[in-house]
Every structure is written in structure tokens, then in C-alpha cells.
Amino acid sequence: MKGNDTTRSAAGPVTLDLGLCKACGICVAICPRQVYDRDSLGRPVIARADECIQCLRCELHCPDFAIEIRRRERKRTAAAQSAPPRAARDAVPQPRHEDPPVVPSELPDAGIAGDEGAD
């Protein structure tokens, strides 16, 4: 069988490719929310897609790579929404140069000891 016999849940994040599935039953047994049931042939069916919590157990344990879980976006908390964007928050502040740069020729002679006899 090819991998194009795909059953997709309409409301949930679960995609099950029956063309790849060998009906081992691992997904049915391992799901903590009982998202899967078995049909009359013993193949898994997505029975309760809205119950899926995207724990990825079924996807990670499927030996046939027949399950894909689409992760939902994280919801931002009120504190995170009021915070500045990460780029602005993590930017390194640039030093402020209020005084003009000092040119070495404008520095007073420091009279460093030991330089008199260097030649």
C-alpha cells in the first residue's frame, strides 16, 4: 500500500496515514486521553481528536511514522504580551558618547620614567 490513504481529523491536530499504518495498536494503548479507537479491522481511527493534548506520545512511539501531531501555538500570558519584543528586550545598549573623543596629541605629557635613555 502507498502512503496516500490518509484519514485526517477535521477539528483536531492529529493526522493518521493509514497507508503507512500496520495496525500495531501502540497509539491506541499509549494515548493518555484515549483519542484513538480501533475499527472492525483493528486499524486505529481518530475517535476523539478534540481530546488530544499534543503530548506526542503516539507520534514518537509509532514504528511506521504514520502519525503526525500538529503543535498549536503557545498562548502568551498578559505579562508576556505587555513585555517588549524579544529583539528589543535582548538588544545590547550602545554607549552614549557625550564628550568628543580625546586625540592623543591633545594629552599632556605624562613624563613616563625610563623613556629618556631608550634611544
Side-chain angles (χ1 to χ4, degrees):
M1 238 193 254
K2 294 181 184 173
N4 51 0
D5 180 16
T6 303
T7 301
R8 293 184 183 271
S9 71
V14 183
T15 302
L16 175 62
D17 187 336
L18 292 176
L20 296 175
C21 178
K22 293 184 183 118
C24 67
I26 292 174
C27 57
V28 177
I30 203 167
C31 181
R33 301 299 294 258
Q34 290 79 42
V35 169
Y36 304 97
D37 282 339
R38 287 182 176 253
D39 67 7
S40 60
L41 299 175
R43 295 180 303 189
V45 292
I46 302 166
R48 289 167 288 282
D50 292 336
E51 293 294 318
C52 180
I53 57 172
Q54 288 108 2
C55 66
L56 300 178
R57 289 181 188 174
C58 60
E59 181 178 342
L60 295 173
H61 287 87
C62 179
D64 304 316
F65 304 102
I67 300 173
E68 181 181 341
I69 304 297
R70 290 181 309 280
R71 302 288 296 197
R72 66 181 102 167
E73 288 187 33
R74 278 189 182 169
K75 294 180 181 177
R76 291 179 56 154
T77 63
Q81 289 175 352
S82 64
R86 179 172 291 235
R89 186 179 65 227
D90 294 341
V92 177
Q94 298 297 318
R96 295 185 183 182
H97 297 287
E98 296 174 5
D99 295 327
V102 178
V103 179
S105 63
E106 297 174 358
L107 292 174
D109 279 340
I112 299 174
D115 280 349
E116 297 87 19
D119 291 318

